[in-house]
Amino acid sequence: MAPRAPKLLLTGALLLLLALGGAAAQPKGCGLNAKKKGGKCVCNKDTALVPKTRDCCPAHSVVLGTGKNRKCTCKRGYVFSAAAKKCRTAAASSNIPEVYALTTRFESMAEAADACRNVTAGTVLATVEQMKGALSAGADWCTWGYTADLSPEGLPVLAYPGGNCSATKGVEAGVQTTTTPEGAAWGVCYGVKPFQGTPSVRPFNEEMWTQWVCLFGAIPDPPAGNSWPSTCRYTPIGGTCTANCAGNGAGQFFTACTGGTWSPVVGNCEITFCAGNPPQPANGNFSCAASSAIGANCTAACNENAVGTPTSVCQADGTWGPVKGNCVRGCNAQELPEAPGNSTWPLAQCNNVASGGTCKAECGFGFVGGPTITCGTDGAWVASSLKGTCRLSTAPCTDAPPALKNGVFNCGASTPHGSNCNGTCNPSFFGDPVGTPLIECRAGEWSGVVGECVEGCVSGELPAAPPNSRWETTCKDVRTGTVCSAKCDNGYTGVPFTVCTGPDKFADVSGECVKLPPGCTGNPPKPANGDFECGPFTQANLECVASCKPGFSGSPKATCGADSKWGAVTGTCVSSTTACTGSPPNPENGAFSCGASTPVAGECSAACAAGFVFDSTDDLSYNATGPWSRCGSDGKWGQLVGKCVKAVSTCPGSPGKVGNGTFACGASTAVGANCTATCNAGFFGKPAALCEAGGIWGEVVGGCTAGCLSSKLPPPPANGTWIGSCSTGVTSVGGVCNVDCEPGFVGTPVSSCEAGGVWSALEGTCAPAP
């Protein structure tokens, strides 16, 4: 039987459009095939509303395209039935019979015929002529199969070029009649072939599932940058091939298999976004959204110590435009050199300074100026660009002093630089701490207030103490709420007290001192390895028992006599253990050899290995010869003391740097010797470091402090002498030395220690008192 010519079928999509009216204009606000009724979009009985697009489409369909190109299209595996106005499966609606082969073997022709009927209703065994027709139509499979017009003894062999029959079966291509050597055969059916993927059914050939398909090799080109899925290789007549847009495109596109040919492609892939990131800039990093809209900007974040705002724009073709701007490496505040004397770098303002920018140091209180440094093109601070200093200012304070809570500052019209102005507290208030409140004049500016005026009891006029007691303190200049306690006389007990209720008032006395019965106060003498805790008072004729330290046991005790004195201590605390066994853990580069047993409190020293010596700079309690440990009262070895260090006799070079000074120790310094630094001009001190065992320099002790020598002070004025430490020693830069005028003379002569260790000219005199 010759193969049936393909019927001219419309695609499911086109039939669906014809049946439902295509993309005709709809009521405003409603989509495909929808009508506006009562303010809502409604569909007829054959369709259902798609909420997202407000289109009316039948079951098993989707909406493809946008705008006027929007269409209802049957899903893959379905075709549109114009008669039923529904999307039905491709196998049930194509209704085009053909020859197809099964992959299951059967023992009889009857079994093969039943199998064909079970695959698709109405399917029967094929005839030899129908098999020849399939061959002519392009079928390409190799099988022994039962046919409808042969007896069980005669089986046709269907052999086609490319089906590998000639190699595997030893027969020539074509339809031939033979007898199966295996005693069983496959079935060859004629009917409507089931949908692609049905088990036990062979494809028509390598490119086609069914005879009634569109060739995959003839499918039209998809939109640029896209491709058709491999599942479209076996698209039946009436079916569609649908694909999602790839890359940055949005939507879907499809073509329909109509009468054995493909329809024009419907839909396009409009680019709506840019994916990923633009090229990364130097010293920065783009971290854009997974999909950035056309026209959107993306700004890179610069790395640490870099500044700038590199940006790129998402272009209409879905690619990122050129990067504009860059990240320029700046200078890190943490890498600033040491600030000049009396100044500090403002780290927050000096971090990530761009190339060519500057950082200005802040001068300390009482100093003016401002050192600056420049950031180089390589992102490093230029040391040679450091310029300027902070110099001491001696201008007096002429502005009104700050307000003082609960008091007042009376500083006069002008207060010399370096002088203090003390505040006066209101009645019933006092300065806390003692000697305050005060402010200091520095470089024409007042410092912050030191101390405060607090309310309390100022006079200290306590009520009378209870009988047999006395007040422990004067309770003068104490805050409100302070408790003042009285102490009972010997032989009495109690805790009398009063409270400062302020201002200058005390509460009534509470408590009294009552006479004690005969007894002892405090504790008896401590026993060895033990301690008494008898409390403040023990009645006569009662015992107090001591407790022993850990690792000791016993019950030392003492009795309070009738004379209120403690008797002799009886009993002792003895060790609970007698010895430590073996040796402690060996120190590094050394070994213990303590014997089988060491008594409690006994020591054992380790021997250092060859080439190592004992470093005894750690705390030593006995004359050890190496790292040692002591046997504790609990029978356990104590902490290791000392260590074994490499046997060297000198420390090389110098200990390192010291601020405002220099070490000059020579090529080497003997172990145990100190090396002392020399301070720069205007700085004083004796920084030193010890060459320790192992040839290692110890920590530098001391430093070089900027200051002025007392021996360089200008002569005091007539009738005055320099006060306290100003007459001997060193005064730090910014410090002030005052003159004490002799009786009958008044004044506040001062001299300030300025940068470089130079005293300022004497200001003021000691004038006769008025």
Side-chain angles (χ1 to χ4, degrees):
M1 177 179 176
R4 183 178 297 180
K7 293 183 178 180
L8 181 60
L9 300 180
L10 294 175
T11 66
L14 297 177
L15 283 172
L16 180 54
L17 288 172
L18 293 173
L20 298 181
Q26 304 298 330
K28 185 177 181 181
C30 296
L32 291 173
N33 311 308
K35 297 181 179 180
K36 198 167 187 180
K37 186 176 181 181
K40 297 182 179 180
C41 296
V42 296
C43 303
N44 59 32
K45 64 178 182 178
D46 298 319
T47 59
L49 187 68
V50 180
K52 186 175 182 180
T53 60
R54 292 180 292 181
D55 297 316
C56 291
C57 295
H60 308 298
S61 66
V62 294
V63 177
L64 295 182
T66 58
K68 293 183 178 181
N69 293 324
R70 199 163 71 256
K71 298 175 176 63
C72 296
T73 305
C74 292
K75 295 180 179 178
R76 175 141 184 87
Y78 294 84
V79 293
F80 185 70
S81 171
K85 296 184 179 180
K86 295 180 181 179
C87 289
R88 290 183 172 176
T89 60
S93 60
S94 62
N95 200 28
I96 305 174
E98 62 180 297
V99 175
Y100 60 89
L102 302 179
T103 62
T104 305
R105 291 184 179 224
F106 306 100
E107 296 294 332
S108 67
M109 182 186 299
E111 288 183 8
D114 288 340
C116 289
R117 285 192 296 270
N118 291 333
V119 174
T120 308
T123 299
V124 297
L125 285 175
T127 66
V128 172
E129 289 303 316
Q130 289 172 336
M131 292 174 69
K132 292 180 179 180
L135 171 61
S136 300
D140 187 12
W141 27 258
C142 179
T143 183
W144 278 273
Y146 288 105
T147 58
D149 52 358
L150 291 175
S151 66
E153 291 76 17
L155 298 175
V157 174
L158 183 61
Y160 296 128
N164 208 22
C165 278
S166 186
T168 60
K169 307 302 180 183
V171 295
E172 296 181 1
V175 179
Q176 303 178 33
T177 301
T178 186
T179 301
T180 174
E182 290 88 350
W186 293 274
V188 182
C189 305
Y190 180 78
V192 176
K193 192 173 186 178
F195 191 67
Q196 178 184 351
T198 302
S200 303
V201 177
R202 297 181 187 276
F204 188 69
N205 57 36
E206 288 185 356
E207 288 191 353
M208 301 162 58
W209 170 255
T210 173
Q211 178 179 349
W212 312 111
V213 297
C214 291
L215 293 177
F216 190 64
I219 196 168
D221 292 335
N226 292 270
S227 61
W228 297 108
S230 60
T231 53
C232 294
R233 183 176 296 277
Y234 305 113
T235 303
I237 292 176
T240 58
C241 178
T242 304
N244 293 318
C245 292
N248 302 359
Q252 293 179 318
F253 57 95
F254 69 93
T255 180
C257 179
T258 307
T261 60
W262 296 100
S263 68
V265 177
V266 176
N268 56 52
C269 294
E270 181 183 359
I271 295 176
T272 59
F273 67 92
C274 292
N277 297 311
Q280 299 294 358
N283 302 313
N285 182 61
F286 279 107
S287 183
C288 311
S291 57
S292 300
I294 300 298
N297 279 299
C298 184
T299 302
C302 292
N303 299 340
E304 187 177 5
N305 301 335
V307 293
T309 53
T311 58
S312 179
V313 179
C314 178
Q315 302 179 123
D317 62 354
T319 61
W320 288 103
V323 177
K324 296 182 179 180
N326 49 39
C327 291
V328 179
R329 190 179 186 278
C331 290
N332 189 347
Q334 301 300 325
E335 298 173 356
L336 280 163
E338 184 178 356
N342 304 303
S343 69
T344 56
W345 297 114
L347 299 183
Q349 294 91 321
C350 293
N351 201 30
N352 288 340
V353 174
S355 174
T358 60
C359 173
K360 183 177 181 179
E362 297 175 346
C363 293
F365 181 67
F367 291 82
V368 295
T372 61
I373 191 169
T374 302
C375 177
T377 56
D378 59 351
W381 297 103
V382 181
S384 61
S385 70
L386 181 59
K387 298 178 181 178
T389 60
C390 288
R391 59 189 181 279
L392 183 68
S393 173
T394 58
C397 294
T398 57
D399 294 338
L404 175 62
K405 185 177 181 181
N406 301 314
V408 63
F409 285 112
N410 294 310
C411 304
S414 176
T415 300
H417 163 75
S419 299
N420 293 334
C421 176
N422 291 85
T424 302
C425 294
N426 297 339
S428 300
F429 289 83
F430 64 94
D432 187 23
V434 176
T436 64
L438 59 83
I439 51 177
E440 182 183 8
C441 175
R442 279 290 184 91
E445 296 182 359
W446 291 109
S447 68
V449 178
V450 179
E452 59 180 333
C453 291
V454 297
E455 186 182 45
C457 295
V458 178
S459 64
E461 295 181 0
L462 287 162
N468 305 305
S469 69
R470 61 187 182 279
W471 295 113
E472 290 191 289
T473 61
T474 62
C475 275
K476 182 179 180 180
D477 291 345
V478 295
R479 292 175 180 263
T480 299
T482 301
V483 176
C484 298
S485 300
K487 182 178 181 181
C488 293
D489 297 336
N490 290 336
Y492 291 84
T493 185
V495 188
F497 68 91
T498 183
V499 178
C500 173
T501 58
D504 280 338
K505 291 182 180 179
F506 291 94
D508 294 337
V509 178
S510 299
E512 59 181 343
C513 293
V514 297
K515 188 172 180 62
L516 289 170
C520 302
T521 58
N523 298 312
K526 287 184 179 182
N529 301 308
D531 198 5
F532 283 105
E533 293 182 359
C534 305
F537 179 78
T538 303
Q539 290 188 12
N541 302 318
L542 294 181
E543 288 183 342
C544 181
V545 180
S547 56
C548 294
K549 295 180 179 179
F552 292 84
S553 61
S555 301
K557 60 184 177 180
T559 302
C560 179
D563 58 354
S564 298
K565 295 181 179 179
W566 286 106
V569 176
T570 60
T572 59
C573 291
V574 296
S575 176
S576 301
T577 57
T578 58
C580 295
T581 59
S583 300
N586 288 330
E588 187 175 1
N589 302 312
F592 280 105
S593 181
C594 304
S597 175
T598 302
V600 171
E603 296 93 356
C604 180
S605 295
C608 291
F612 293 86
V613 295
F614 176 41
D615 179 6
S616 59
T617 56
D618 291 333
D619 177 43
L620 295 177
S621 300
Y622 88 110
N623 189 21
T625 58
W628 62 277
S629 179
R630 179 176 286 117
C631 180
S633 59
D634 57 355
K636 296 180 180 179
W637 288 103
Q639 182 178 358
L640 181 68
V641 180
K643 55 184 176 289
C644 293
V645 297
K646 192 172 183 180
V648 293
S649 59
T650 61
C651 292
S654 299
K657 294 182 179 180
V658 61
N660 303 308
T662 305
F663 278 107
C665 307
S668 62
T669 302
V671 170
N674 282 304
C675 179
T676 303
T678 301
C679 293
N680 299 340
F683 294 85
F684 304 93
K686 292 184 178 181
L690 175 66
C691 177
E692 299 177 351
I696 300 173
W697 284 107
E699 182 179 355
V700 176
V701 179
C704 292
T705 304
C708 301
L709 289 173
S710 59
S711 60
K712 301 294 184 179
L713 272 167
N719 305 306
T721 57
W722 292 113
I723 297 174
S725 62
C726 290
S727 59
T728 59
V730 179
T731 299
S732 61
V733 171
V736 175
C737 276
N738 297 300
V739 170
D740 184 15
C741 292
E742 296 175 357
F745 293 86
V746 293
T748 57
V750 297
S751 179
S752 302
C753 179
E754 299 180 343
V758 179
W759 290 101
S760 67
L762 180 67
E763 298 180 8
T765 61
C766 289

